[in-house]
Amino acid sequence: MPITAEEIEILIRESFPNARVEVQGDDGAHFAAFVEDESFRGMNRVQQQRAVYAALKGKMDGARGELHALALTTKAPE
């Protein structure tokens, strides 16, 4: 079953409850997400994005992953 933008947002919010999260995409496989969270302060972009991918709990793992592509933008609040 394809994953939805809402399901992706729920997974991200479980790990980043105070984050500003926006997820777009409606084809069930390709999405874009923006995550802004204070916990990213002091992290480089790779570290930030790894933290978000970890929050997805394996949904992108391998050929059988529910989530095929995620364009991810992360940042700490200004």
Side-chain angles (χ1 to χ4, degrees):
M1 174 182 254
I3 195 165
T4 66
E6 182 180 1
E7 290 170 313
I8 295 167
E9 184 173 337
I10 288 168
L11 288 169
I12 293 170
R13 287 193 184 282
E14 285 176 359
S15 293
F16 304 97
N18 298 316
R20 180 175 146 215
V21 179
E22 298 171 15
V23 180
Q24 299 175 339
D26 61 4
D27 71 354
H30 303 89
F31 297 90
F34 172 83
V35 183
E36 179 180 52
D37 192 70
E38 183 62 38
S39 69
F40 295 152
R41 192 163 309 284
M43 291 183 180
N44 65 39
R45 295 233 190 264
V46 171
Q47 292 168 323
Q48 294 172 15
Q49 292 186 359
R50 283 182 180 156
V52 175
Y53 286 127
L56 296 174
K57 301 177 182 173
K59 299 292 184 184
M60 291 189 76
D61 290 351
R64 296 180 187 215
E66 295 175 58
L67 179 55
H68 175 70
L70 178 66
L72 186 56
T73 302
T74 58
K75 66 180 249 177
E78 295 180 9

